[in-house]
Each structure stands twice: as C-alpha cells, then as structure tokens.
mmCIF file of all heavy atoms in Angstrom:
data_model
loop_
_atom_site.group_PDB
_atom_site.id
_atom_site.type_symbol
_atom_site.label_atom_id
_atom_site.label_comp_id
_atom_site.label_asym_id
_atom_site.label_seq_id
_atom_site.Cartn_x
_atom_site.Cartn_y
_atom_site.Cartn_z
ATOM 1 N N TYR V 1 0.823 -1.202 0.051
ATOM 2 C CA TYR V 1 0.045 -0.012 -0.013
ATOM 3 C C TYR V 1 0.804 1.171 0.023
ATOM 4 O O TYR V 1 1.990 1.208 0.562
ATOM 5 C CB TYR V 1 -0.852 0.013 1.169
ATOM 6 C CG TYR V 1 -1.769 -1.183 1.450
ATOM 7 C CD1 TYR V 1 -1.409 -2.229 2.131
ATOM 8 C CD2 TYR V 1 -3.040 -1.170 0.728
ATOM 9 C CE1 TYR V 1 -2.285 -3.316 2.366
ATOM 10 C CE2 TYR V 1 -3.942 -2.331 0.861
ATOM 11 C CZ TYR V 1 -3.445 -3.364 1.624
ATOM 12 O OH TYR V 1 -4.323 -4.456 1.797
ATOM 13 N N LEU V 2 0.246 2.299 -0.557
ATOM 14 C CA LEU V 2 0.820 3.614 -0.397
ATOM 15 C C LEU V 2 -0.242 4.568 0.047
ATOM 16 O O LEU V 2 -1.133 4.914 -0.686
ATOM 17 C CB LEU V 2 1.450 4.206 -1.730
ATOM 18 C CG LEU V 2 2.188 5.450 -1.637
ATOM 19 C CD1 LEU V 2 3.539 5.318 -0.788
ATOM 20 C CD2 LEU V 2 2.539 5.967 -3.027
ATOM 21 N N HIS V 3 -0.184 4.925 1.363
ATOM 22 C CA HIS V 3 -1.105 5.957 1.802
ATOM 23 C C HIS V 3 -0.638 7.344 1.656
ATOM 24 O O HIS V 3 0.461 7.631 2.112
ATOM 25 C CB HIS V 3 -1.456 5.676 3.384
ATOM 26 C CG HIS V 3 -2.517 6.538 3.781
ATOM 27 N ND1 HIS V 3 -2.386 7.706 4.432
ATOM 28 C CD2 HIS V 3 -3.830 6.232 3.875
ATOM 29 C CE1 HIS V 3 -3.513 8.278 4.873
ATOM 30 N NE2 HIS V 3 -4.478 7.371 4.425
ATOM 31 N N MET V 4 -1.356 8.135 0.926
ATOM 32 C CA MET V 4 -0.880 9.514 0.638
ATOM 33 C C MET V 4 -1.829 10.507 1.331
ATOM 34 O O MET V 4 -3.016 10.459 1.219
ATOM 35 C CB MET V 4 -0.893 9.631 -0.921
ATOM 36 C CG MET V 4 -0.103 8.621 -1.663
ATOM 37 S SD MET V 4 -0.122 8.961 -3.366
ATOM 38 C CE MET V 4 -1.723 8.639 -3.823
ATOM 39 N N SER V 5 -1.273 11.524 1.928
ATOM 40 C CA SER V 5 -1.997 12.542 2.618
ATOM 41 C C SER V 5 -1.424 13.898 2.301
ATOM 42 O O SER V 5 -0.265 14.039 1.714
ATOM 43 C CB SER V 5 -2.084 12.300 4.030
ATOM 44 O OG SER V 5 -0.863 12.346 4.636
ATOM 45 N N SER V 6 -2.183 14.937 2.576
ATOM 46 C CA SER V 6 -1.766 16.341 2.321
ATOM 47 C C SER V 6 -1.270 16.501 0.783
ATOM 48 O O SER V 6 -0.256 17.116 0.566
ATOM 49 C CB SER V 6 -0.630 16.795 3.257
ATOM 50 O OG SER V 6 -1.007 16.677 4.609
ATOM 51 N N LEU V 7 -2.090 15.843 -0.014
ATOM 52 C CA LEU V 7 -1.736 15.846 -1.443
ATOM 53 C C LEU V 7 -1.680 17.252 -2.064
ATOM 54 O O LEU V 7 -2.610 18.170 -1.616
ATOM 55 C CB LEU V 7 -2.674 14.955 -2.262
ATOM 56 C CG LEU V 7 -2.360 13.441 -2.010
ATOM 57 C CD1 LEU V 7 -3.559 12.574 -2.377
ATOM 58 C CD2 LEU V 7 -1.036 12.999 -2.650
ATOM 59 N N ASN V 8 -0.905 17.506 -2.943
ATOM 60 C CA ASN V 8 -0.874 18.881 -3.677
ATOM 61 C C ASN V 8 -0.646 18.565 -5.223
ATOM 62 O O ASN V 8 -0.453 17.400 -5.586
ATOM 63 C CB ASN V 8 0.248 19.686 -3.241
ATOM 64 C CG ASN V 8 1.589 19.082 -3.225
ATOM 65 O OD1 ASN V 8 2.143 18.732 -4.274
ATOM 66 N ND2 ASN V 8 2.313 18.942 -2.032
ATOM 67 N N ALA V 9 -0.710 19.590 -5.993
ATOM 68 C CA ALA V 9 -0.737 19.515 -7.391
ATOM 69 C C ALA V 9 0.548 18.702 -7.930
ATOM 70 O O ALA V 9 0.509 18.114 -8.920
ATOM 71 C CB ALA V 9 -0.956 20.843 -8.133
ATOM 72 N N GLU V 10 1.648 18.989 -7.238
ATOM 73 C CA GLU V 10 2.934 18.398 -7.618
ATOM 74 C C GLU V 10 3.007 16.890 -7.433
ATOM 75 O O GLU V 10 3.923 16.179 -7.939
ATOM 76 C CB GLU V 10 4.163 19.021 -6.791
ATOM 77 C CG GLU V 10 4.418 20.463 -7.176
ATOM 78 C CD GLU V 10 3.336 21.430 -6.831
ATOM 79 O OE1 GLU V 10 2.747 21.278 -5.652
ATOM 80 O OE2 GLU V 10 2.950 22.333 -7.673
ATOM 81 N N ASP V 11 1.938 16.315 -6.697
ATOM 82 C CA ASP V 11 1.777 14.883 -6.569
ATOM 83 C C ASP V 11 1.066 14.168 -7.757
ATOM 84 O O ASP V 11 1.046 13.046 -7.781
ATOM 85 C CB ASP V 11 1.167 14.541 -5.327
ATOM 86 C CG ASP V 11 1.907 14.985 -4.015
ATOM 87 O OD1 ASP V 11 3.163 14.765 -4.054
ATOM 88 O OD2 ASP V 11 1.264 15.625 -3.137
ATOM 89 N N THR V 12 0.579 14.957 -8.721
ATOM 90 C CA THR V 12 -0.101 14.409 -9.833
ATOM 91 C C THR V 12 0.852 13.699 -10.642
ATOM 92 O O THR V 12 1.903 14.241 -11.151
ATOM 93 C CB THR V 12 -0.798 15.649 -10.647
ATOM 94 O OG1 THR V 12 -1.768 16.252 -9.829
ATOM 95 C CG2 THR V 12 -1.348 15.016 -11.935
ATOM 96 N N ALA V 13 0.500 12.437 -10.910
ATOM 97 C CA ALA V 13 1.460 11.622 -11.729
ATOM 98 C C ALA V 13 0.727 10.235 -11.939
ATOM 99 O O ALA V 13 -0.246 9.934 -11.333
ATOM 100 C CB ALA V 13 2.760 11.357 -11.050
ATOM 101 N N VAL V 14 1.373 9.436 -12.699
ATOM 102 C CA VAL V 14 0.977 7.938 -12.862
ATOM 103 C C VAL V 14 1.944 7.205 -11.773
ATOM 104 O O VAL V 14 3.193 7.553 -11.770
ATOM 105 C CB VAL V 14 1.286 7.318 -14.165
ATOM 106 C CG1 VAL V 14 0.936 5.793 -14.151
ATOM 107 C CG2 VAL V 14 0.389 8.003 -15.221
ATOM 108 N N TYR V 15 1.363 6.640 -10.906
ATOM 109 C CA TYR V 15 2.033 5.857 -9.811
ATOM 110 C C TYR V 15 2.154 4.405 -10.187
ATOM 111 O O TYR V 15 1.200 3.658 -10.486
ATOM 112 C CB TYR V 15 1.291 6.027 -8.424
ATOM 113 C CG TYR V 15 1.531 7.312 -7.878
ATOM 114 C CD1 TYR V 15 0.908 8.503 -8.424
ATOM 115 C CD2 TYR V 15 2.302 7.531 -6.757
ATOM 116 C CE1 TYR V 15 1.069 9.786 -7.929
ATOM 117 C CE2 TYR V 15 2.528 8.753 -6.236
ATOM 118 C CZ TYR V 15 1.899 9.920 -6.809
ATOM 119 O OH TYR V 15 2.150 11.217 -6.350
ATOM 120 N N TYR V 16 3.394 3.894 -9.973
ATOM 121 C CA TYR V 16 3.666 2.521 -10.307
ATOM 122 C C TYR V 16 4.217 1.757 -9.157
ATOM 123 O O TYR V 16 5.119 2.376 -8.329
ATOM 124 C CB TYR V 16 4.797 2.421 -11.347
ATOM 125 C CG TYR V 16 4.479 3.052 -12.718
ATOM 126 C CD1 TYR V 16 4.685 4.428 -12.916
ATOM 127 C CD2 TYR V 16 3.985 2.299 -13.844
ATOM 128 C CE1 TYR V 16 4.478 4.991 -14.188
ATOM 129 C CE2 TYR V 16 3.575 2.852 -15.030
ATOM 130 C CZ TYR V 16 3.935 4.222 -15.234
ATOM 131 O OH TYR V 16 3.543 4.828 -16.406
ATOM 132 N N CYS V 17 3.733 0.541 -8.895
ATOM 133 C CA CYS V 17 4.435 -0.283 -7.978
ATOM 134 C C CYS V 17 5.416 -1.100 -8.589
ATOM 135 O O CYS V 17 5.286 -1.491 -9.720
ATOM 136 C CB CYS V 17 3.475 -1.067 -7.019
ATOM 137 S SG CYS V 17 2.686 -2.344 -7.907
ATOM 138 N N ALA V 18 6.593 -1.608 -7.800
ATOM 139 C CA ALA V 18 7.627 -2.384 -8.278
ATOM 140 C C ALA V 18 7.983 -3.431 -7.319
ATOM 141 O O ALA V 18 7.795 -3.212 -6.072
ATOM 142 C CB ALA V 18 8.650 -1.535 -8.721
ATOM 143 N N ALA V 19 8.542 -4.590 -7.752
ATOM 144 C CA ALA V 19 8.828 -5.664 -6.816
ATOM 145 C C ALA V 19 10.260 -6.233 -7.215
ATOM 146 O O ALA V 19 10.620 -6.282 -8.498
ATOM 147 C CB ALA V 19 7.800 -6.675 -6.670
ATOM 148 N N ASP V 20 11.078 -6.581 -6.354
ATOM 149 C CA ASP V 20 12.295 -7.307 -6.613
ATOM 150 C C ASP V 20 12.646 -8.320 -5.631
ATOM 151 O O ASP V 20 12.363 -8.099 -4.287
ATOM 152 C CB ASP V 20 13.483 -6.277 -6.724
ATOM 153 C CG ASP V 20 14.680 -6.754 -7.402
ATOM 154 O OD1 ASP V 20 14.574 -6.909 -8.669
ATOM 155 O OD2 ASP V 20 15.642 -7.015 -6.840
ATOM 156 N N LEU V 21 13.154 -9.505 -6.051
ATOM 157 C CA LEU V 21 13.366 -10.574 -5.211
ATOM 158 C C LEU V 21 14.638 -10.213 -4.372
ATOM 159 O O LEU V 21 15.713 -10.517 -4.982
ATOM 160 C CB LEU V 21 13.428 -11.852 -5.918
ATOM 161 C CG LEU V 21 13.667 -13.043 -5.148
ATOM 162 C CD1 LEU V 21 12.611 -13.313 -4.108
ATOM 163 C CD2 LEU V 21 13.828 -14.268 -6.026
ATOM 164 N N ALA V 22 14.498 -9.866 -3.223
ATOM 165 C CA ALA V 22 15.700 -9.373 -2.332
ATOM 166 C C ALA V 22 16.100 -10.449 -1.242
ATOM 167 O O ALA V 22 17.161 -10.409 -0.850
ATOM 168 C CB ALA V 22 15.382 -7.987 -1.557
ATOM 169 N N PHE V 23 15.055 -11.191 -0.893
ATOM 170 C CA PHE V 23 15.341 -12.251 0.139
ATOM 171 C C PHE V 23 16.540 -13.085 -0.256
ATOM 172 O O PHE V 23 16.667 -13.527 -1.412
ATOM 173 C CB PHE V 23 14.102 -13.155 0.330
ATOM 174 C CG PHE V 23 14.302 -14.264 1.295
ATOM 175 C CD1 PHE V 23 13.998 -13.977 2.569
ATOM 176 C CD2 PHE V 23 14.834 -15.471 0.943
ATOM 177 C CE1 PHE V 23 14.105 -15.006 3.532
ATOM 178 C CE2 PHE V 23 14.947 -16.528 1.886
ATOM 179 C CZ PHE V 23 14.602 -16.240 3.175
ATOM 180 N N PRO V 24 17.594 -13.336 0.631
ATOM 181 C CA PRO V 24 17.531 -12.976 2.093
ATOM 182 C C PRO V 24 18.048 -11.677 2.447
ATOM 183 O O PRO V 24 18.116 -11.332 3.659
ATOM 184 C CB PRO V 24 18.234 -14.151 2.659
ATOM 185 C CG PRO V 24 19.331 -14.432 1.724
ATOM 186 C CD PRO V 24 18.634 -14.240 0.368
ATOM 187 N N MET V 25 18.587 -10.878 1.408
ATOM 188 C CA MET V 25 19.163 -9.587 1.879
ATOM 189 C C MET V 25 18.116 -8.588 2.179
ATOM 190 O O MET V 25 17.151 -8.342 1.330
ATOM 191 C CB MET V 25 19.887 -9.040 0.605
ATOM 192 C CG MET V 25 21.240 -9.847 0.247
ATOM 193 S SD MET V 25 22.105 -9.238 -1.163
ATOM 194 C CE MET V 25 20.887 -9.369 -2.454
ATOM 195 N N ASN V 26 18.031 -8.080 3.374
ATOM 196 C CA ASN V 26 17.102 -7.219 3.826
ATOM 197 C C ASN V 26 17.454 -5.811 3.536
ATOM 198 O O ASN V 26 17.812 -4.951 4.350
ATOM 199 C CB ASN V 26 16.903 -7.300 5.333
ATOM 200 C CG ASN V 26 15.580 -6.916 5.851
ATOM 201 O OD1 ASN V 26 14.570 -6.916 5.150
ATOM 202 N ND2 ASN V 26 15.479 -6.428 7.111
ATOM 203 N N VAL V 27 17.416 -5.427 2.228
ATOM 204 C CA VAL V 27 17.771 -4.183 1.734
ATOM 205 C C VAL V 27 16.695 -3.157 1.236
ATOM 206 O O VAL V 27 15.625 -3.794 1.023
ATOM 207 C CB VAL V 27 18.818 -4.322 0.574
ATOM 208 C CG1 VAL V 27 20.011 -5.057 1.022
ATOM 209 C CG2 VAL V 27 18.137 -4.962 -0.607
ATOM 210 N N LEU V 28 16.961 -1.963 1.026
ATOM 211 C CA LEU V 28 16.017 -1.093 0.429
ATOM 212 C C LEU V 28 16.672 -0.550 -0.841
ATOM 213 O O LEU V 28 17.872 -0.268 -0.923
ATOM 214 C CB LEU V 28 15.839 0.209 1.417
ATOM 215 C CG LEU V 28 15.101 -0.088 2.692
ATOM 216 C CD1 LEU V 28 15.312 1.121 3.698
ATOM 217 C CD2 LEU V 28 13.636 -0.342 2.493
ATOM 218 N N LEU V 29 15.851 -0.389 -1.959
ATOM 219 C CA LEU V 29 16.296 0.020 -3.164
ATOM 220 C C LEU V 29 15.487 1.186 -3.629
ATOM 221 O O LEU V 29 14.288 1.146 -3.573
ATOM 222 C CB LEU V 29 16.140 -1.157 -4.150
ATOM 223 C CG LEU V 29 16.862 -2.402 -3.935
ATOM 224 C CD1 LEU V 29 16.580 -3.509 -4.960
ATOM 225 C CD2 LEU V 29 18.377 -2.127 -3.990
ATOM 226 N N THR V 30 16.229 2.259 -4.046
ATOM 227 C CA THR V 30 15.550 3.545 -4.505
ATOM 228 C C THR V 30 15.741 3.772 -5.897
ATOM 229 O O THR V 30 15.192 4.688 -6.491
ATOM 230 C CB THR V 30 16.126 4.708 -3.635
ATOM 231 O OG1 THR V 30 17.521 4.833 -3.906
ATOM 232 C CG2 THR V 30 15.889 4.491 -2.097
ATOM 233 N N SER V 31 16.452 2.931 -6.669
ATOM 234 C CA SER V 31 16.583 3.117 -8.120
ATOM 235 C C SER V 31 15.676 2.293 -8.880
ATOM 236 O O SER V 31 15.619 1.027 -8.670
ATOM 237 C CB SER V 31 18.090 2.778 -8.443
ATOM 238 O OG SER V 31 18.260 2.818 -9.867
ATOM 239 N N ALA V 32 15.047 2.848 -9.890
ATOM 240 C CA ALA V 32 14.057 2.203 -10.600
ATOM 241 C C ALA V 32 14.695 1.069 -11.449
ATOM 242 O O ALA V 32 14.015 -0.081 -11.617
ATOM 243 C CB ALA V 32 13.451 3.066 -11.712
ATOM 244 N N THR V 33 16.012 1.124 -11.777
ATOM 245 C CA THR V 33 16.567 0.135 -12.599
ATOM 246 C C THR V 33 16.861 -1.187 -11.713
ATOM 247 O O THR V 33 17.205 -2.265 -12.259
ATOM 248 C CB THR V 33 17.970 0.614 -13.104
ATOM 249 O OG1 THR V 33 18.848 1.058 -12.041
ATOM 250 C CG2 THR V 33 17.707 1.724 -14.037
ATOM 251 N N ALA V 34 16.804 -0.979 -10.397
ATOM 252 C CA ALA V 34 17.021 -2.166 -9.545
ATOM 253 C C ALA V 34 15.835 -3.190 -9.444
ATOM 254 O O ALA V 34 15.945 -4.243 -8.944
ATOM 255 C CB ALA V 34 17.405 -1.665 -8.087
ATOM 256 N N TYR V 35 14.715 -2.729 -9.796
ATOM 257 C CA TYR V 35 13.483 -3.462 -9.711
ATOM 258 C C TYR V 35 13.156 -4.221 -11.027
ATOM 259 O O TYR V 35 13.205 -3.707 -12.104
ATOM 260 C CB TYR V 35 12.369 -2.615 -9.498
ATOM 261 C CG TYR V 35 12.325 -1.998 -7.975
ATOM 262 C CD1 TYR V 35 13.068 -0.917 -7.752
ATOM 263 C CD2 TYR V 35 11.505 -2.660 -6.932
ATOM 264 C CE1 TYR V 35 13.126 -0.438 -6.368
ATOM 265 C CE2 TYR V 35 11.668 -2.134 -5.728
ATOM 266 C CZ TYR V 35 12.410 -1.024 -5.418
ATOM 267 O OH TYR V 35 12.372 -0.510 -4.134
ATOM 268 N N GLU V 36 12.860 -5.518 -10.821
ATOM 269 C CA GLU V 36 12.597 -6.387 -11.984
ATOM 270 C C GLU V 36 11.261 -6.364 -12.480
ATOM 271 O O GLU V 36 11.003 -6.488 -13.737
ATOM 272 C CB GLU V 36 12.982 -7.802 -11.564
ATOM 273 C CG GLU V 36 12.822 -8.946 -12.792
ATOM 274 C CD GLU V 36 13.305 -10.181 -12.466
ATOM 275 O OE1 GLU V 36 13.790 -10.476 -11.326
ATOM 276 O OE2 GLU V 36 13.269 -11.029 -13.312
ATOM 277 N N PHE V 37 10.206 -6.223 -11.557
ATOM 278 C CA PHE V 37 8.852 -6.359 -11.881
ATOM 279 C C PHE V 37 8.050 -5.043 -11.664
ATOM 280 O O PHE V 37 8.273 -4.386 -10.659
ATOM 281 C CB PHE V 37 8.121 -7.567 -11.072
ATOM 282 C CG PHE V 37 8.931 -8.856 -11.450
ATOM 283 C CD1 PHE V 37 9.721 -9.310 -10.439
ATOM 284 C CD2 PHE V 37 8.584 -9.516 -12.483
ATOM 285 C CE1 PHE V 37 10.208 -10.606 -10.507
ATOM 286 C CE2 PHE V 37 9.288 -10.775 -12.745
ATOM 287 C CZ PHE V 37 10.124 -11.250 -11.770
ATOM 288 N N TRP V 38 7.165 -4.793 -12.576
ATOM 289 C CA TRP V 38 6.358 -3.348 -12.485
ATOM 290 C C TRP V 38 4.979 -3.679 -12.794
ATOM 291 O O TRP V 38 4.612 -4.522 -13.665
ATOM 292 C CB TRP V 38 7.071 -2.409 -13.534
ATOM 293 C CG TRP V 38 8.314 -2.014 -13.149
ATOM 294 C CD1 TRP V 38 9.556 -2.636 -13.375
ATOM 295 C CD2 TRP V 38 8.658 -0.810 -12.486
ATOM 296 N NE1 TRP V 38 10.557 -1.995 -12.992
ATOM 297 C CE2 TRP V 38 10.104 -0.738 -12.445
ATOM 298 C CE3 TRP V 38 7.897 0.249 -11.964
ATOM 299 C CZ2 TRP V 38 10.700 0.213 -11.767
ATOM 300 C CZ3 TRP V 38 8.572 1.348 -11.369
ATOM 301 C CH2 TRP V 38 10.015 1.243 -11.271
ATOM 302 N N GLY V 39 4.077 -2.806 -12.172
ATOM 303 C CA GLY V 39 2.715 -2.787 -12.561
ATOM 304 C C GLY V 39 2.489 -1.942 -13.717
ATOM 305 O O GLY V 39 3.460 -1.250 -14.211
ATOM 306 N N GLN V 40 1.208 -1.721 -14.053
ATOM 307 C CA GLN V 40 0.828 -1.028 -15.188
ATOM 308 C C GLN V 40 0.530 0.491 -14.912
ATOM 309 O O GLN V 40 0.444 1.417 -15.834
ATOM 310 C CB GLN V 40 -0.391 -1.558 -15.889
ATOM 311 C CG GLN V 40 -1.735 -1.042 -15.267
ATOM 312 C CD GLN V 40 -1.981 -1.726 -13.915
ATOM 313 O OE1 GLN V 40 -1.286 -2.686 -13.574
ATOM 314 N NE2 GLN V 40 -2.873 -1.167 -13.239
ATOM 315 N N GLY V 41 0.474 0.828 -13.703
ATOM 316 C CA GLY V 41 0.375 2.221 -13.190
ATOM 317 C C GLY V 41 -1.047 2.497 -12.901
ATOM 318 O O GLY V 41 -2.019 2.049 -13.457
#
C-alpha cells in the first residue's frame, strides 16, 4: 500500500508499484533500474 495525505498538485502523476526478489538480503532499493517487476500504473 501507499497511503498519501496532504496531497498537492505536484503529486499528480502515474504511480507505479515495483517488486524485486531481495530475500534474504534485507535491503532497500531506491533506483528504478534495480526493480525487476512493474505494474501498469
């Protein structure tokens, strides 16, 4: 889930979720190129 509050015009966009098989490394990834799977938005 992504709960969004106090939204403003700058938040207008197509939002995509992404997934990557990270187990067992408990890491965080902020680069889009690091994610293998994507939704349609």
Side-chain angles (χ1 to χ4, degrees):
Y1 302 97
L2 185 68
H3 186 271
M4 307 182 292
S5 62
S6 301
L7 287 162
N8 56 62
E10 287 69 42
D11 297 316
T12 295
V14 177
Y15 283 71
Y16 299 89
C17 72
D20 197 69
L21 180 59
F23 180 88
M25 296 181 294
N26 201 31
V27 297
L28 292 167
L29 299 174
T30 62
S31 172
T33 58
Y35 288 83
E36 182 174 1
F37 301 103
W38 291 83
Q40 82 289 348

